[in-house]
Amino acid sequence: RKKCLLCNNVLMIVAASIMGCSKISQSFEMILIGRFMCGVSLCVPLHHQYVGEISPKKLRGFANSTSSFFWSLGKALGQISGQRELLGSQTLWPMLMASCGLPALVQLVTLPFFPESPPYLLMHKGDQEGCKKAIRQLWGEGQHQAEIDDIMKEKATMKNTKILSVLELVKEPAFRWQLYMIVILTATIQLCGINAV
């Protein structure tokens, strides 16, 4: 999880650099390439997953909701700073385009000081000691055996569950309606008024 987030941040910084240099290079194609790279990045789902896994159970819902809050806050700040009086002027818009690299840079610098997520260490790596160390670093000293037991139960459940590829998921009739709903919700999210809010 952590390595994937770090690589994703590098991708965002490269995208921001490409967009920021588009005016100097006099190439609108660089904006298209940079925006495509931003769209390809996995920031939102990775952030949800990592934050959910490193949070204690009692704070997990709150921690996951913070990403939605900051997502909306980022959109609002982007729209405000895009005004002509701020960064939306003819000379400053490259800085506005490159500003998406700033949060990625902050995360790239700070994330190495955070441990890998405990469920990832235990379920995928089989590193029980690393999991305990990560839990102590994240949640402090104390009895965390109940959380470790929950992760072990989840691991046992996952062993009996077949992981489907994307193609198998699309072909599976049992998941067809769920897939339709996800596609419709994702496609129509811009119509829900989140930008106005």
Side-chain angles (χ1 to χ4, degrees), residues 149-167:
D149 292 342
D150 284 347
I151 297 170
M152 292 300 285
K153 285 177 191 171
E154 190 177 340
K155 183 178 180 180
T157 305
M158 291 289 285
K159 279 186 180 177
N160 300 330
T161 307
K162 183 186 178 215
I163 306 291
L164 299 175
S165 71
V166 175
L167 191 59

Side-chain angles (χ1 to χ4, degrees), residues 58 132 135-136 139-149:
K58 61 184 175 190
K132 287 179 183 176
I135 286 175
R136 281 193 302 273
W139 306 342
E141 295 295 331
Q143 287 295 340
H144 302 293
Q145 191 58 43
E147 285 87 355
I148 294 171
D149 292 342

Side-chain angles (χ1 to χ4, degrees), residues 2-189:
K2 195 169 97 169
K3 285 180 188 174
C4 198
L5 274 170
L6 288 168
C7 292
N8 203 49
N9 289 324
V10 171
L11 178 70
M12 289 297 290
I13 291 169
V14 170
S17 303
I18 289 171
M19 289 187 294
C21 296
S22 62
K23 186 176 182 182
I24 297 167
S25 304
Q26 296 182 349
S27 169
F28 73 90
E29 293 90 355
M30 290 175 74
I31 296 172
L32 297 175
I33 292 167
R35 291 303 299 156
F36 178 76
M37 289 171 74
C38 286
V40 167
S41 75
L42 301 168
C43 292
V44 176
L46 282 174
H47 176 80
H48 275 289
Q49 190 171 20
Y50 183 71
V51 168
E53 288 182 358
I54 66 170
S55 303
K57 194 179 258 187
K58 61 184 175 190
L59 296 175
R60 201 163 289 157
F62 171 75
N64 274 329
S65 66
T66 59
S67 61
S68 300
F69 169 75
F70 284 111
W71 179 261
S72 301
L73 181 66
K75 281 185 161 193
L77 287 175
Q79 289 178 350
I80 292 167
S81 58
Q83 299 298 312
R84 283 195 185 98
E85 294 80 16
L86 298 172
L87 295 177
S89 67
Q90 193 169 1
T91 54
L92 295 177
W93 68 261
M95 288 177 59
L96 179 65
M97 297 296 286
S99 66
C100 66
L102 206 59
L105 183 63
V106 169
Q107 193 175 43
L108 190 65
V109 170
T110 57
L111 198 59
F113 298 103
F114 284 79
E116 187 58 79
S117 78
Y120 175 77
L121 288 170
L122 191 58
M123 291 171 65
H124 298 282
K125 297 283 187 180
D127 184 4
Q128 192 159 3
E129 283 306 311
C131 175
K132 287 179 183 176
K133 184 180 173 189
I135 286 175
R136 281 193 302 273
Q137 186 179 348
L138 289 165
W139 306 342
E141 295 295 331
Q143 287 295 340
H144 302 293
Q145 191 58 43
E147 285 87 355
I148 294 171
D149 292 342
D150 284 347
I151 297 170
M152 292 300 285
K153 285 177 191 171
E154 190 177 340
K155 183 178 180 180
T157 305
M158 291 289 285
K159 279 186 180 177
N160 300 330
T161 307
K162 183 186 178 215
I163 306 291
L164 299 175
S165 71
V166 175
L167 191 59
E168 290 172 330
L169 181 69
V170 171
K171 288 180 177 179
E172 182 64 45
F175 300 119
R176 190 115 342 118
W177 281 106
Q178 292 93 326
L179 192 61
Y180 290 155
M181 289 179 72
I182 289 171
V183 169
I184 290 169
L185 284 171
T186 305
T188 58
I189 194 132

